[in-house]
Amino acid sequence: MDQTANPRPTGLQAPAKPPLTVLLAGPRGFCAGVDRAIKIVELAIERYGTPVYVRHEIVHNRFVVEGLQAKGAVFVEELDEIPDDGQPVIFSAHGVPRSVPAAADARQMLYLDATCPLVSKVHREAERHFAGGSHILLIGHAGHPEVVGTMGQLPPGAVTLVEDAEQAATVQPPPGPLAYATQTTLSVDDTAEVLDVLRRRFPELSAPVKEDICYATTNRQAAVKAIAERCELIVVVGAANSSNSVRLREVAERAGCPRAVLVPRGRDFDPALADGLRTIGISAGASAPEVLVEEVVARLRERFDVTIEDVTVAEEKIIFNLPRPLRTPRTATVE
Ligand code: 0CM
Ligand code: SF4
């Protein structure tokens, strides 16, 4: 009898791993604004040598920050931590108040602005409404650098922050025309709720020409919603200070997944969380590199027989231009 065709289990064989289906939400991870911001730091190091200073984490991800530190980037929270050594400073993707480039100009510092163009768009809209005589209601989270940056585009008192539906119900803006703006990385559903309350109270409230919540935030939330009901657990790869990543975790549970966890990277993820489960999902915030998603999958493979299924709800083709000083000069062709 041919024993090899159907080998008997021996005591030495590893027990079969339990099967686990992993739904990978798409889009996930890096957006065009994060990609551009990281490139700005890398190209600045190439062009100007080290150190290149970066005001605030270029994007909210330790792995990205540590990678850039290894290449010669020095991260600071404020400009006054930077010596006058002639080296450039880069402003993070989240944007800065006007006082920051003003202070850099006053010190004749060379600066490069890695503010995401979609955050800059919110700044310009807020300015436009203010120039038209409106008071601005900014929907966002107090203390987040993007909110600090957006409020800092306008004089003190021009913007009132509204954090949630409760505040929307009680906020007392000054009399006169009103417009709203939002942080780019909010929950689409929470923001709709806040706006319902504001519109009921202030029917003349002017809106941005184009939605402030960005395409990347919207798509990543839609992708998580698409897998939530099929998943017994969703792992969101991202940092605790990353607004869009934190929102993805919340969206997952609200959309019907019984449990969602936020993990910075694979080594912080305990695959035993998936014990006894058949299907889990993975997504990643806009500042989380794909290699960190791969780490989580690798941790799962240590314990389970993993089958991957991609669930992609949107294609993203957006690429943003680099700031002018970093664009590669066109090479002249000689014929
Ligand atoms: O705004 P948030 O905290 O989500 O920032 P992030 O660095 O995690 O993501 C990219 C951005 C922006 C602006
Ligand atoms: Fe820009 Fe949106 Fe990415 Fe933030 S999450 S950097 S606003 S594209």
Side-chain angles (χ1 to χ4, degrees), residues 37-312:
I38 295 170
K39 260 194 206 113
I40 289 174
V41 181
E42 290 171 341
L43 289 174
I45 290 170
E46 271 176 34
R47 181 151 308 193
Y48 303 102
T50 58
V52 158
Y53 299 98
V54 185
R55 186 189 175 279
H56 192 69
E57 289 190 339
I58 186 74
V59 298
H60 289 147
N61 190 278
R62 280 317 298 167
F63 180 85
V64 170
V65 166
E66 283 165 14
L68 293 172
Q69 275 170 335
K71 293 180 180 173
V74 172
F75 288 83
V76 299
E77 277 309 307
E78 293 300 341
L79 297 189
D80 57 18
E81 296 165 51
I82 302 173
D84 286 313
D85 58 3
Q87 288 298 102
V89 56
I90 297 167
F91 304 148
S92 80
H94 317 95
V96 289
R98 278 182 174 275
S99 56
V100 171
D105 280 335
R107 281 177 61 187
Q108 296 179 320
M109 293 170 105
L110 173 62
Y111 65 80
L112 295 161
D113 191 358
T115 303
C116 176
L118 298 181
V119 175
S120 300
K121 174 233 146 210
V122 177
H123 293 178
R124 301 294 83 82
E125 293 245 19
E127 279 174 341
R128 183 175 64 81
H129 281 300
F130 178 71
S134 292
H135 182 80
I136 315 296
L137 295 177
L138 175 64
I139 306 170
H141 300 293
H144 188 282
E146 185 184 323
V147 163
V148 174
T150 301
M151 293 185 84
Q153 301 305 304
L154 298 175
V159 182
T160 302
L161 185 63
V162 177
E163 289 197 81
D164 50 29
E166 218 174 286
Q167 289 187 5
T170 55
V171 65
Q172 293 297 346
L178 275 182
Y180 79 85
T182 83
Q183 202 176 325
T184 56
T185 51
L186 299 180
S187 147
V188 171
D189 296 337
D190 285 352
T191 307
E193 232 176 80
V194 173
L195 275 172
D196 271 357
V197 176
L198 289 176
R199 285 207 179 96
R200 244 179 284 133
R201 293 187 61 209
F202 311 109
E204 306 296 314
L205 183 69
S206 302
V209 173
K210 191 176 179 299
E211 191 65 58
D212 287 342
I213 296 180
C214 74
Y215 80 94
T217 298
T218 308
N219 288 345
R220 279 149 194 69
Q221 288 177 18
V224 161
K225 283 183 188 173
I227 61 168
E229 281 188 355
R230 290 178 61 196
C231 295
E232 297 159 280
L233 168 75
I234 288 182
V235 182
V236 176
V237 181
N241 63 339
S242 165
S243 166
N244 78 87
S245 307
V246 172
R247 300 291 86 77
L248 287 179
R249 200 208 65 76
E250 293 167 358
V251 164
E253 286 187 352
R254 284 192 206 152
C257 177
R259 183 170 186 202
V261 294
L262 182 68
V263 296
R265 58 185 301 179
R267 68 176 177 218
D268 307 302
F269 171 66
D270 178 5
L273 281 184
D275 281 356
L277 308 183
R278 294 158 64 108
T279 307
I280 73 164
I282 302 182
S283 179
S287 45
E290 184 64 9
V291 64
L292 302 183
V293 171
E294 285 162 12
E295 280 185 7
V296 170
V297 173
R299 293 302 309 275
L300 287 165
R301 286 195 196 281
E302 289 166 11
R303 202 172 174 92
F304 301 97
D305 179 12
V306 170
T307 304
I308 300 278
E309 191 184 318
D310 277 298
V311 181
T312 297

